[in-house]
PDB file of all heavy atoms in Angstrom:
ATOM      1  N   GLY P   1      27.317  -6.802 -18.585  1.00 63.00           N
ATOM      2  CA  GLY P   1      26.791  -6.664 -17.238  1.00 63.00           C
ATOM      3  C   GLY P   1      26.142  -5.319 -17.008  1.00 63.00           C
ATOM      4  O   GLY P   1      25.821  -4.585 -17.934  1.00 63.00           O
ATOM      5  N   HIS P   2      25.954  -4.994 -15.732  1.00 81.00           N
ATOM      6  CA  HIS P   2      25.309  -3.742 -15.383  1.00 81.00           C
ATOM      7  C   HIS P   2      25.724  -3.321 -13.986  1.00 81.00           C
ATOM      8  O   HIS P   2      26.299  -4.083 -13.223  1.00 81.00           O
ATOM      9  CB  HIS P   2      23.788  -3.886 -15.469  1.00 81.00           C
ATOM     10  CG  HIS P   2      23.240  -4.930 -14.526  1.00 81.00           C
ATOM     11  ND1 HIS P   2      22.869  -6.182 -14.958  1.00 81.00           N
ATOM     12  CD2 HIS P   2      23.011  -4.915 -13.190  1.00 81.00           C
ATOM     13  CE1 HIS P   2      22.440  -6.890 -13.919  1.00 81.00           C
ATOM     14  NE2 HIS P   2      22.511  -6.148 -12.846  1.00 81.00           N
ATOM     15  N   ARG P   3      25.407  -2.076 -13.665  1.00 91.00           N
ATOM     16  CA  ARG P   3      25.608  -1.543 -12.330  1.00 91.00           C
ATOM     17  C   ARG P   3      24.240  -1.251 -11.733  1.00 91.00           C
ATOM     18  O   ARG P   3      23.369  -0.689 -12.404  1.00 91.00           O
ATOM     19  CB  ARG P   3      26.449  -0.268 -12.376  1.00 91.00           C
ATOM     20  CG  ARG P   3      27.865  -0.488 -12.891  1.00 91.00           C
ATOM     21  CD  ARG P   3      28.566   0.845 -13.081  1.00 91.00           C
ATOM     22  NE  ARG P   3      28.694   1.570 -11.813  1.00 91.00           N
ATOM     23  CZ  ARG P   3      28.990   2.860 -11.728  1.00 91.00           C
ATOM     24  NH1 ARG P   3      29.179   3.577 -12.829  1.00 91.00           N
ATOM     25  NH2 ARG P   3      29.092   3.440 -10.545  1.00 91.00           N
ATOM     26  N   SER P   4      24.054  -1.634 -10.478  1.00 95.00           N
ATOM     27  CA  SER P   4      22.756  -1.475  -9.841  1.00 95.00           C
ATOM     28  C   SER P   4      22.912  -0.814  -8.480  1.00 95.00           C
ATOM     29  O   SER P   4      23.854  -1.120  -7.737  1.00 95.00           O
ATOM     30  CB  SER P   4      22.086  -2.851  -9.684  1.00 95.00           C
ATOM     31  OG  SER P   4      20.889  -2.751  -8.938  1.00 95.00           O
ATOM     32  N   ILE P   5      21.984   0.093  -8.164  1.00 97.00           N
ATOM     33  CA  ILE P   5      21.998   0.751  -6.862  1.00 97.00           C
ATOM     34  C   ILE P   5      20.551   0.976  -6.445  1.00 97.00           C
ATOM     35  O   ILE P   5      19.692   1.255  -7.284  1.00 97.00           O
ATOM     36  CB  ILE P   5      22.793   2.078  -6.918  1.00 97.00           C
ATOM     37  CG1 ILE P   5      22.919   2.673  -5.525  1.00 97.00           C
ATOM     38  CG2 ILE P   5      22.182   3.058  -7.898  1.00 97.00           C
ATOM     39  CD1 ILE P   5      23.925   3.806  -5.459  1.00 97.00           C
ATOM     40  N   SER P   6      20.285   0.826  -5.160  1.00 98.00           N
ATOM     41  CA  SER P   6      18.909   0.990  -4.697  1.00 98.00           C
ATOM     42  C   SER P   6      18.874   1.709  -3.355  1.00 98.00           C
ATOM     43  O   SER P   6      19.854   1.703  -2.604  1.00 98.00           O
ATOM     44  CB  SER P   6      18.214  -0.374  -4.590  1.00 98.00           C
ATOM     45  OG  SER P   6      18.955  -1.258  -3.765  1.00 98.00           O
ATOM     46  N   ALA P   7      17.736   2.328  -3.066  1.00 98.00           N
ATOM     47  CA  ALA P   7      17.571   3.061  -1.810  1.00 98.00           C
ATOM     48  C   ALA P   7      16.082   3.249  -1.540  1.00 98.00           C
ATOM     49  O   ALA P   7      15.248   3.170  -2.457  1.00 98.00           O
ATOM     50  CB  ALA P   7      18.281   4.410  -1.864  1.00 98.00           C
ATOM     51  N   LEU P   8      15.788   3.534  -0.291  1.00 98.00           N
ATOM     52  CA  LEU P   8      14.403   3.697   0.148  1.00 98.00           C
ATOM     53  C   LEU P   8      14.151   5.133   0.584  1.00 98.00           C
ATOM     54  O   LEU P   8      14.981   5.740   1.267  1.00 98.00           O
ATOM     55  CB  LEU P   8      14.115   2.750   1.319  1.00 98.00           C
ATOM     56  CG  LEU P   8      12.695   2.752   1.880  1.00 98.00           C
ATOM     57  CD1 LEU P   8      11.744   2.082   0.893  1.00 98.00           C
ATOM     58  CD2 LEU P   8      12.664   2.019   3.226  1.00 98.00           C
ATOM     59  N   ALA P   9      13.010   5.684   0.195  1.00 98.00           N
ATOM     60  CA  ALA P   9      12.564   6.990   0.665  1.00 98.00           C
ATOM     61  C   ALA P   9      11.255   6.799   1.429  1.00 98.00           C
ATOM     62  O   ALA P   9      10.417   5.979   1.038  1.00 98.00           O
ATOM     63  CB  ALA P   9      12.349   7.950  -0.505  1.00 98.00           C
ATOM     64  N   SER P  10      11.076   7.536   2.508  1.00 98.00           N
ATOM     65  CA  SER P  10       9.873   7.404   3.324  1.00 98.00           C
ATOM     66  C   SER P  10       9.345   8.768   3.716  1.00 98.00           C
ATOM     67  O   SER P  10      10.117   9.704   3.947  1.00 98.00           O
ATOM     68  CB  SER P  10      10.170   6.590   4.598  1.00 98.00           C
ATOM     69  OG  SER P  10      10.693   5.313   4.280  1.00 98.00           O
ATOM     70  N   ALA P  11       8.044   8.897   3.785  1.00 98.00           N
ATOM     71  CA  ALA P  11       7.408  10.150   4.188  1.00 98.00           C
ATOM     72  C   ALA P  11       6.165   9.839   5.016  1.00 98.00           C
ATOM     73  O   ALA P  11       5.455   8.856   4.753  1.00 98.00           O
ATOM     74  CB  ALA P  11       7.008  10.980   2.969  1.00 98.00           C
ATOM     75  N   THR P  12       5.907  10.662   6.015  1.00 98.00           N
ATOM     76  CA  THR P  12       4.740  10.487   6.866  1.00 98.00           C
ATOM     77  C   THR P  12       3.547  11.212   6.260  1.00 98.00           C
ATOM     78  O   THR P  12       3.653  12.360   5.832  1.00 98.00           O
ATOM     79  CB  THR P  12       5.005  11.031   8.283  1.00 98.00           C
ATOM     80  OG1 THR P  12       6.094  10.305   8.859  1.00 98.00           O
ATOM     81  CG2 THR P  12       3.780  10.875   9.166  1.00 98.00           C
ATOM     82  N   VAL P  13       2.410  10.518   6.218  1.00 98.00           N
ATOM     83  CA  VAL P  13       1.179  11.071   5.659  1.00 98.00           C
ATOM     84  C   VAL P  13       0.163  11.250   6.778  1.00 98.00           C
ATOM     85  O   VAL P  13      -0.121  10.316   7.524  1.00 98.00           O
ATOM     86  CB  VAL P  13       0.578  10.130   4.586  1.00 98.00           C
ATOM     87  CG1 VAL P  13      -0.676  10.738   3.971  1.00 98.00           C
ATOM     88  CG2 VAL P  13       1.609   9.818   3.514  1.00 98.00           C
ATOM     89  N   ARG P  14      -0.368  12.471   6.910  1.00 98.00           N
ATOM     90  CA  ARG P  14      -1.428  12.735   7.882  1.00 98.00           C
ATOM     91  C   ARG P  14      -2.762  12.770   7.125  1.00 98.00           C
ATOM     92  O   ARG P  14      -2.999  13.659   6.295  1.00 98.00           O
ATOM     93  CB  ARG P  14      -1.203  14.060   8.611  1.00 98.00           C
ATOM     94  CG  ARG P  14       0.094  14.107   9.403  1.00 98.00           C
ATOM     95  CD  ARG P  14       0.098  15.281  10.380  1.00 98.00           C
ATOM     96  NE  ARG P  14      -0.227  16.549   9.741  1.00 98.00           N
ATOM     97  CZ  ARG P  14       0.643  17.323   9.108  1.00 98.00           C
ATOM     98  NH1 ARG P  14       1.912  16.939   8.994  1.00 98.00           N
ATOM     99  NH2 ARG P  14       0.260  18.464   8.565  1.00 98.00           N
ATOM    100  N   PHE P  15      -3.597  11.800   7.409  1.00 98.00           N
ATOM    101  CA  PHE P  15      -4.867  11.692   6.703  1.00 98.00           C
ATOM    102  C   PHE P  15      -5.915  12.603   7.331  1.00 98.00           C
ATOM    103  O   PHE P  15      -5.954  12.802   8.546  1.00 98.00           O
ATOM    104  CB  PHE P  15      -5.361  10.246   6.718  1.00 98.00           C
ATOM    105  CG  PHE P  15      -4.477   9.302   5.964  1.00 98.00           C
ATOM    106  CD1 PHE P  15      -3.604   8.449   6.629  1.00 98.00           C
ATOM    107  CD2 PHE P  15      -4.500   9.272   4.580  1.00 98.00           C
ATOM    108  CE1 PHE P  15      -2.778   7.602   5.930  1.00 98.00           C
ATOM    109  CE2 PHE P  15      -3.670   8.415   3.869  1.00 98.00           C
ATOM    110  CZ  PHE P  15      -2.804   7.578   4.551  1.00 98.00           C
ATOM    111  N   GLY P  16      -6.781  13.146   6.475  1.00 98.00           N
ATOM    112  CA  GLY P  16      -7.897  13.937   6.945  1.00 98.00           C
ATOM    113  C   GLY P  16      -8.990  13.047   7.497  1.00 98.00           C
ATOM    114  O   GLY P  16      -8.791  11.840   7.698  1.00 98.00           O
ATOM    115  N   SER P  17     -10.155  13.642   7.728  1.00 98.00           N
ATOM    116  CA  SER P  17     -11.273  12.890   8.314  1.00 98.00           C
ATOM    117  C   SER P  17     -12.506  12.979   7.421  1.00 98.00           C
ATOM    118  O   SER P  17     -13.505  13.625   7.764  1.00 98.00           O
ATOM    119  CB  SER P  17     -11.588  13.430   9.715  1.00 98.00           C
ATOM    120  OG  SER P  17     -10.485  13.283  10.576  1.00 98.00           O
ATOM    121  N   PRO P  18     -12.447  12.342   6.257  1.00 98.00           N
ATOM    122  CA  PRO P  18     -13.615  12.355   5.373  1.00 98.00           C
ATOM    123  C   PRO P  18     -14.801  11.640   6.004  1.00 98.00           C
ATOM    124  O   PRO P  18     -14.629  10.687   6.778  1.00 98.00           O
ATOM    125  CB  PRO P  18     -13.123  11.630   4.118  1.00 98.00           C
ATOM    126  CG  PRO P  18     -12.006  10.762   4.597  1.00 98.00           C
ATOM    127  CD  PRO P  18     -11.349  11.529   5.699  1.00 98.00           C
ATOM    128  N   SER P  19     -15.990  12.079   5.659  1.00 98.00           N
ATOM    129  CA  SER P  19     -17.198  11.430   6.153  1.00 98.00           C
ATOM    130  C   SER P  19     -17.389  10.084   5.473  1.00 98.00           C
ATOM    131  O   SER P  19     -16.743   9.787   4.458  1.00 98.00           O
ATOM    132  CB  SER P  19     -18.413  12.317   5.873  1.00 98.00           C
ATOM    133  OG  SER P  19     -18.616  12.426   4.468  1.00 98.00           O
ATOM    134  N   ASP P  20     -18.308   9.279   5.995  1.00 98.00           N
ATOM    135  CA  ASP P  20     -18.607   8.000   5.354  1.00 98.00           C
ATOM    136  C   ASP P  20     -19.066   8.211   3.920  1.00 98.00           C
ATOM    137  O   ASP P  20     -18.694   7.447   3.018  1.00 98.00           O
ATOM    138  CB  ASP P  20     -19.698   7.259   6.142  1.00 98.00           C
ATOM    139  CG  ASP P  20     -19.193   6.666   7.444  1.00 98.00           C
ATOM    140  OD1 ASP P  20     -17.963   6.696   7.678  1.00 98.00           O
ATOM    141  OD2 ASP P  20     -20.027   6.173   8.233  1.00 98.00           O
ATOM    142  N   ALA P  21     -19.871   9.257   3.704  1.00 98.00           N
ATOM    143  CA  ALA P  21     -20.371   9.527   2.352  1.00 98.00           C
ATOM    144  C   ALA P  21     -19.227   9.905   1.415  1.00 98.00           C
ATOM    145  O   ALA P  21     -19.198   9.480   0.246  1.00 98.00           O
ATOM    146  CB  ALA P  21     -21.415  10.642   2.398  1.00 98.00           C
ATOM    147  N   GLU P  22     -18.269  10.688   1.916  1.00 98.00           N
ATOM    148  CA  GLU P  22     -17.127  11.069   1.087  1.00 98.00           C
ATOM    149  C   GLU P  22     -16.261   9.859   0.761  1.00 98.00           C
ATOM    150  O   GLU P  22     -15.774   9.711  -0.371  1.00 98.00           O
ATOM    151  CB  GLU P  22     -16.298  12.135   1.799  1.00 98.00           C
ATOM    152  CG  GLU P  22     -16.958  13.504   1.825  1.00 98.00           C
ATOM    153  CD  GLU P  22     -16.175  14.509   2.643  1.00 98.00           C
ATOM    154  OE1 GLU P  22     -15.679  14.143   3.734  1.00 98.00           O
ATOM    155  OE2 GLU P  22     -16.066  15.669   2.200  1.00 98.00           O
ATOM    156  N   ILE P  23     -16.072   8.995   1.743  1.00 98.00           N
ATOM    157  CA  ILE P  23     -15.290   7.775   1.506  1.00 98.00           C
ATOM    158  C   ILE P  23     -15.972   6.895   0.464  1.00 98.00           C
ATOM    159  O   ILE P  23     -15.334   6.405  -0.478  1.00 98.00           O
ATOM    160  CB  ILE P  23     -15.081   6.996   2.823  1.00 98.00           C
ATOM    161  CG1 ILE P  23     -14.139   7.767   3.746  1.00 98.00           C
ATOM    162  CG2 ILE P  23     -14.533   5.599   2.542  1.00 98.00           C
ATOM    163  CD1 ILE P  23     -13.996   7.162   5.126  1.00 98.00           C
ATOM    164  N   ASP P  24     -17.274   6.701   0.613  1.00 98.00           N
ATOM    165  CA  ASP P  24     -18.016   5.872  -0.345  1.00 98.00           C
ATOM    166  C   ASP P  24     -17.909   6.452  -1.757  1.00 98.00           C
ATOM    167  O   ASP P  24     -17.715   5.712  -2.732  1.00 98.00           O
ATOM    168  CB  ASP P  24     -19.485   5.768   0.061  1.00 98.00           C
ATOM    169  CG  ASP P  24     -19.693   4.928   1.319  1.00 98.00           C
ATOM    170  OD1 ASP P  24     -18.761   4.186   1.697  1.00 98.00           O
ATOM    171  OD2 ASP P  24     -20.779   5.029   1.920  1.00 98.00           O
ATOM    172  N   ALA P  25     -18.028   7.780  -1.858  1.00 98.00           N
ATOM    173  CA  ALA P  25     -17.952   8.425  -3.174  1.00 98.00           C
ATOM    174  C   ALA P  25     -16.551   8.306  -3.760  1.00 98.00           C
ATOM    175  O   ALA P  25     -16.391   8.067  -4.973  1.00 98.00           O
ATOM    176  CB  ALA P  25     -18.353   9.895  -3.052  1.00 98.00           C
ATOM    177  N   TYR P  26     -15.542   8.454  -2.919  1.00 98.00           N
ATOM    178  CA  TYR P  26     -14.164   8.352  -3.396  1.00 98.00           C
ATOM    179  C   TYR P  26     -13.859   6.940  -3.884  1.00 98.00           C
ATOM    180  O   TYR P  26     -13.317   6.755  -4.987  1.00 98.00           O
ATOM    181  CB  TYR P  26     -13.196   8.755  -2.276  1.00 98.00           C
ATOM    182  CG  TYR P  26     -11.736   8.643  -2.651  1.00 98.00           C
ATOM    183  CD1 TYR P  26     -11.273   9.121  -3.876  1.00 98.00           C
ATOM    184  CD2 TYR P  26     -10.812   8.057  -1.784  1.00 98.00           C
ATOM    185  CE1 TYR P  26      -9.930   9.020  -4.221  1.00 98.00           C
ATOM    186  CE2 TYR P  26      -9.475   7.956  -2.123  1.00 98.00           C
ATOM    187  CZ  TYR P  26      -9.041   8.432  -3.346  1.00 98.00           C
ATOM    188  OH  TYR P  26      -7.715   8.326  -3.691  1.00 98.00           O
ATOM    189  N   VAL P  27     -14.223   5.958  -3.102  1.00 98.00           N
ATOM    190  CA  VAL P  27     -13.960   4.566  -3.498  1.00 98.00           C
ATOM    191  C   VAL P  27     -14.730   4.214  -4.768  1.00 98.00           C
ATOM    192  O   VAL P  27     -14.240   3.471  -5.626  1.00 98.00           O
ATOM    193  CB  VAL P  27     -14.302   3.607  -2.343  1.00 98.00           C
ATOM    194  CG1 VAL P  27     -14.207   2.153  -2.803  1.00 98.00           C
ATOM    195  CG2 VAL P  27     -13.372   3.845  -1.150  1.00 98.00           C
ATOM    196  N   ALA P  28     -15.928   4.783  -4.918  1.00 98.00           N
ATOM    197  CA  ALA P  28     -16.750   4.498  -6.099  1.00 98.00           C
ATOM    198  C   ALA P  28     -16.094   4.979  -7.384  1.00 98.00           C
ATOM    199  O   ALA P  28     -16.407   4.468  -8.472  1.00 98.00           O
ATOM    200  CB  ALA P  28     -18.131   5.132  -5.951  1.00 98.00           C
ATOM    201  N   THR P  29     -15.153   5.924  -7.301  1.00 97.00           N
ATOM    202  CA  THR P  29     -14.447   6.385  -8.503  1.00 97.00           C
ATOM    203  C   THR P  29     -13.481   5.327  -9.025  1.00 97.00           C
ATOM    204  O   THR P  29     -13.034   5.398 -10.171  1.00 97.00           O
ATOM    205  CB  THR P  29     -13.647   7.671  -8.233  1.00 97.00           C
ATOM    206  OG1 THR P  29     -12.553   7.391  -7.330  1.00 97.00           O
ATOM    207  CG2 THR P  29     -14.536   8.751  -7.628  1.00 97.00           C
ATOM    208  N   GLY P  30     -13.120   4.379  -8.171  1.00 97.00           N
ATOM    209  CA  GLY P  30     -12.183   3.332  -8.564  1.00 97.00           C
ATOM    210  C   GLY P  30     -10.728   3.680  -8.320  1.00 97.00           C
ATOM    211  O   GLY P  30      -9.856   2.808  -8.392  1.00 97.00           O
ATOM    212  N   GLU P  31     -10.450   4.952  -8.031  1.00 96.00           N
ATOM    213  CA  GLU P  31      -9.062   5.380  -7.862  1.00 96.00           C
ATOM    214  C   GLU P  31      -8.326   4.634  -6.745  1.00 96.00           C
ATOM    215  O   GLU P  31      -7.180   4.195  -6.949  1.00 96.00           O
ATOM    216  CB  GLU P  31      -9.005   6.883  -7.618  1.00 96.00           C
ATOM    217  CG  GLU P  31      -7.585   7.418  -7.454  1.00 96.00           C
ATOM    218  CD  GLU P  31      -7.556   8.926  -7.214  1.00 96.00           C
ATOM    219  OE1 GLU P  31      -7.663   9.669  -8.206  1.00 96.00           O
ATOM    220  OE2 GLU P  31      -7.439   9.347  -6.048  1.00 96.00           O
ATOM    221  N   PRO P  32      -8.923   4.470  -5.557  1.00 96.00           N
ATOM    222  CA  PRO P  32      -8.175   3.826  -4.462  1.00 96.00           C
ATOM    223  C   PRO P  32      -7.757   2.380  -4.759  1.00 96.00           C
ATOM    224  O   PRO P  32      -6.806   1.882  -4.160  1.00 96.00           O
ATOM    225  CB  PRO P  32      -9.163   3.873  -3.287  1.00 96.00           C
ATOM    226  CG  PRO P  32     -10.093   4.983  -3.605  1.00 96.00           C
ATOM    227  CD  PRO P  32     -10.238   4.951  -5.101  1.00 96.00           C
ATOM    228  N   LEU P  33      -8.445   1.736  -5.688  1.00 96.00           N
ATOM    229  CA  LEU P  33      -8.135   0.342  -5.992  1.00 96.00           C
ATOM    230  C   LEU P  33      -6.892   0.198  -6.874  1.00 96.00           C
ATOM    231  O   LEU P  33      -6.386  -0.904  -7.053  1.00 96.00           O
ATOM    232  CB  LEU P  33      -9.322  -0.329  -6.690  1.00 96.00           C
ATOM    233  CG  LEU P  33     -10.642  -0.335  -5.905  1.00 96.00           C
ATOM    234  CD1 LEU P  33     -11.740  -0.964  -6.729  1.00 96.00           C
ATOM    235  CD2 LEU P  33     -10.477  -1.085  -4.584  1.00 96.00           C
ATOM    236  N   LYS P  34      -6.398   1.323  -7.399  1.00 93.00           N
ATOM    237  CA  LYS P  34      -5.302   1.280  -8.360  1.00 93.00           C
ATOM    238  C   LYS P  34      -3.967   1.734  -7.779  1.00 93.00           C
ATOM    239  O   LYS P  34      -2.957   1.715  -8.487  1.00 93.00           O
ATOM    240  CB  LYS P  34      -5.637   2.169  -9.565  1.00 93.00           C
ATOM    241  CG  LYS P  34      -6.929   1.803 -10.276  1.00 93.00           C
ATOM    242  CD  LYS P  34      -7.277   2.826 -11.349  1.00 93.00           C
ATOM    243  CE  LYS P  34      -8.609   2.531 -11.995  1.00 93.00           C
ATOM    244  NZ  LYS P  34      -8.978   3.581 -12.982  1.00 93.00           N
ATOM    245  N   VAL P  35      -3.977   2.157  -6.498  1.00 94.00           N
ATOM    246  CA  VAL P  35      -2.770   2.784  -5.952  1.00 94.00           C
ATOM    247  C   VAL P  35      -2.406   2.216  -4.584  1.00 94.00           C
ATOM    248  O   VAL P  35      -3.282   1.807  -3.812  1.00 94.00           O
ATOM    249  CB  VAL P  35      -2.939   4.313  -5.857  1.00 94.00           C
ATOM    250  CG1 VAL P  35      -2.918   4.933  -7.239  1.00 94.00           C
ATOM    251  CG2 VAL P  35      -4.230   4.679  -5.136  1.00 94.00           C
ATOM    252  N   ALA P  36      -1.105   2.225  -4.294  1.00 91.00           N
ATOM    253  CA  ALA P  36      -0.613   1.736  -3.005  1.00 91.00           C
ATOM    254  C   ALA P  36      -1.211   2.546  -1.867  1.00 91.00           C
ATOM    255  O   ALA P  36      -1.263   3.776  -1.925  1.00 91.00           O
ATOM    256  CB  ALA P  36       0.911   1.828  -2.959  1.00 91.00           C
ATOM    257  N   GLY P  37      -1.675   1.861  -0.840  1.00 94.00           N
ATOM    258  CA  GLY P  37      -2.254   2.536   0.306  1.00 94.00           C
ATOM    259  C   GLY P  37      -3.704   2.917   0.123  1.00 94.00           C
ATOM    260  O   GLY P  37      -4.380   3.296   1.071  1.00 94.00           O
ATOM    261  N   GLY P  38      -4.201   2.860  -1.116  1.00 96.00           N
ATOM    262  CA  GLY P  38      -5.596   3.191  -1.365  1.00 96.00           C
ATOM    263  C   GLY P  38      -5.878   4.675  -1.458  1.00 96.00           C
ATOM    264  O   GLY P  38      -7.025   5.100  -1.287  1.00 96.00           O
ATOM    265  N   PHE P  39      -4.843   5.481  -1.735  1.00 97.00           N
ATOM    266  CA  PHE P  39      -5.064   6.922  -1.848  1.00 97.00           C
ATOM    267  C   PHE P  39      -4.038   7.537  -2.787  1.00 97.00           C
ATOM    268  O   PHE P  39      -2.991   6.954  -3.059  1.00 97.00           O
ATOM    269  CB  PHE P  39      -4.953   7.596  -0.473  1.00 97.00           C
ATOM    270  CG  PHE P  39      -3.533   7.735   0.020  1.00 97.00           C
ATOM    271  CD1 PHE P  39      -2.853   8.942  -0.113  1.00 97.00           C
ATOM    272  CD2 PHE P  39      -2.854   6.664   0.587  1.00 97.00           C
ATOM    273  CE1 PHE P  39      -1.534   9.076   0.322  1.00 97.00           C
ATOM    274  CE2 PHE P  39      -1.546   6.789   1.022  1.00 97.00           C
ATOM    275  CZ  PHE P  39      -0.883   8.005   0.890  1.00 97.00           C
ATOM    276  N   THR P  40      -4.353   8.732  -3.262  1.00 95.00           N
ATOM    277  CA  THR P  40      -3.402   9.520  -4.048  1.00 95.00           C
ATOM    278  C   THR P  40      -3.229  10.877  -3.371  1.00 95.00           C
ATOM    279  O   THR P  40      -4.061  11.297  -2.563  1.00 95.00           O
ATOM    280  CB  THR P  40      -3.897   9.761  -5.484  1.00 95.00           C
ATOM    281  OG1 THR P  40      -5.139  10.489  -5.430  1.00 95.00           O
ATOM    282  CG2 THR P  40      -4.091   8.454  -6.228  1.00 95.00           C
ATOM    283  N   LEU P  41      -2.164  11.549  -3.727  1.00 94.00           N
ATOM    284  CA  LEU P  41      -1.923  12.898  -3.222  1.00 94.00           C
ATOM    285  C   LEU P  41      -2.232  13.942  -4.288  1.00 94.00           C
ATOM    286  O   LEU P  41      -2.689  15.039  -3.978  1.00 94.00           O
ATOM    287  CB  LEU P  41      -0.460  13.028  -2.783  1.00 94.00           C
ATOM    288  CG  LEU P  41      -0.011  14.380  -2.227  1.00 94.00           C
ATOM    289  CD1 LEU P  41      -0.784  14.724  -0.959  1.00 94.00           C
ATOM    290  CD2 LEU P  41       1.492  14.366  -1.957  1.00 94.00           C
ATOM    291  N   ASP P  42      -2.002  13.579  -5.541  1.00 93.00           N
ATOM    292  CA  ASP P  42      -2.101  14.547  -6.640  1.00 93.00           C
ATOM    293  C   ASP P  42      -3.418  14.472  -7.403  1.00 93.00           C
ATOM    294  O   ASP P  42      -3.627  15.234  -8.341  1.00 93.00           O
ATOM    295  CB  ASP P  42      -0.938  14.342  -7.617  1.00 93.00           C
ATOM    296  CG  ASP P  42      -0.903  12.930  -8.181  1.00 93.00           C
ATOM    297  OD1 ASP P  42      -1.384  11.989  -7.499  1.00 93.00           O
ATOM    298  OD2 ASP P  42      -0.381  12.745  -9.288  1.00 93.00           O
ATOM    299  N   ARG P  43      -4.302  13.569  -6.992  1.00 94.00           N
ATOM    300  CA  ARG P  43      -5.574  13.455  -7.699  1.00 94.00           C
ATOM    301  C   ARG P  43      -6.727  13.551  -6.696  1.00 94.00           C
ATOM    302  O   ARG P  43      -6.669  14.351  -5.767  1.00 94.00           O
ATOM    303  CB  ARG P  43      -5.590  12.149  -8.512  1.00 94.00           C
ATOM    304  CG  ARG P  43      -4.658  12.216  -9.733  1.00 94.00           C
ATOM    305  CD  ARG P  43      -4.682  10.951 -10.544  1.00 94.00           C
ATOM    306  NE  ARG P  43      -3.884   9.906  -9.897  1.00 94.00           N
ATOM    307  CZ  ARG P  43      -3.908   8.622 -10.247  1.00 94.00           C
ATOM    308  NH1 ARG P  43      -4.719   8.214 -11.208  1.00 94.00           N
ATOM    309  NH2 ARG P  43      -3.133   7.746  -9.643  1.00 94.00           N
ATOM    310  N   LEU P  44      -7.746  12.762  -6.861  1.00 97.00           N
ATOM    311  CA  LEU P  44      -8.939  12.896  -6.019  1.00 97.00           C
ATOM    312  C   LEU P  44      -8.639  12.692  -4.533  1.00 97.00           C
ATOM    313  O   LEU P  44      -9.238  13.337  -3.677  1.00 97.00           O
ATOM    314  CB  LEU P  44     -10.010  11.897  -6.474  1.00 97.00           C
ATOM    315  CG  LEU P  44     -10.540  12.073  -7.899  1.00 97.00           C
ATOM    316  CD1 LEU P  44     -11.541  10.972  -8.227  1.00 97.00           C
ATOM    317  CD2 LEU P  44     -11.177  13.440  -8.071  1.00 97.00           C
ATOM    318  N   GLY P  45      -7.705  11.813  -4.233  1.00 97.00           N
ATOM    319  CA  GLY P  45      -7.380  11.540  -2.837  1.00 97.00           C
ATOM    320  C   GLY P  45      -6.766  12.720  -2.112  1.00 97.00           C
ATOM    321  O   GLY P  45      -6.765  12.777  -0.875  1.00 97.00           O
ATOM    322  N   GLY P  46      -6.233  13.686  -2.868  1.00 97.00           N
ATOM    323  CA  GLY P  46      -5.605  14.843  -2.253  1.00 97.00           C
ATOM    324  C   GLY P  46      -6.544  15.654  -1.378  1.00 97.00           C
ATOM    325  O   GLY P  46      -6.098  16.372  -0.471  1.00 97.00           O
ATOM    326  N   TRP P  47      -7.856  15.560  -1.632  1.00 98.00           N
ATOM    327  CA  TRP P  47      -8.828  16.249  -0.795  1.00 98.00           C
ATOM    328  C   TRP P  47      -8.789  15.745   0.648  1.00 98.00           C
ATOM    329  O   TRP P  47      -9.198  16.466   1.573  1.00 98.00           O
ATOM    330  CB  TRP P  47     -10.241  16.027  -1.338  1.00 98.00           C
ATOM    331  CG  TRP P  47     -10.533  16.674  -2.648  1.00 98.00           C
ATOM    332  CD1 TRP P  47     -10.525  16.064  -3.886  1.00 98.00           C
ATOM    333  CD2 TRP P  47     -10.892  18.034  -2.880  1.00 98.00           C
ATOM    334  NE1 TRP P  47     -10.850  16.968  -4.866  1.00 98.00           N
ATOM    335  CE2 TRP P  47     -11.097  18.188  -4.281  1.00 98.00           C
ATOM    336  CE3 TRP P  47     -11.076  19.144  -2.046  1.00 98.00           C
ATOM    337  CZ2 TRP P  47     -11.462  19.399  -4.858  1.00 98.00           C
ATOM    338  CZ3 TRP P  47     -11.447  20.351  -2.621  1.00 98.00           C
ATOM    339  CH2 TRP P  47     -11.636  20.472  -4.001  1.00 98.00           C
TER     340      TRP P  47
END
């Protein structure tokens, strides 16, 4: 058998205000399509 334990962590994210051109360029990198919420904190989305 096994032992199992689970828990949830939550954090509030305050998004910046990128321009339409910045959003289009960011989405064009493909990064938002690979991650939950459509953004990253440690890569391109961190801007």
Side-chain angles (χ1 to χ4, degrees):
H2 61 258
R3 296 172 62 195
S4 174
I5 186 168
S6 55
L8 182 72
S10 303
T12 299
V13 182
R14 299 195 308 276
F15 295 103
S17 299
S19 66
D20 286 352
E22 287 175 318
I23 291 173
D24 290 344
Y26 178 45
V27 173
T29 68
E31 181 180 279
L33 301 177
K34 303 173 184 176
V35 288
F39 75 99
T40 61
L41 180 62
D42 58 333
R43 288 181 282 168
L44 298 177
W47 292 100

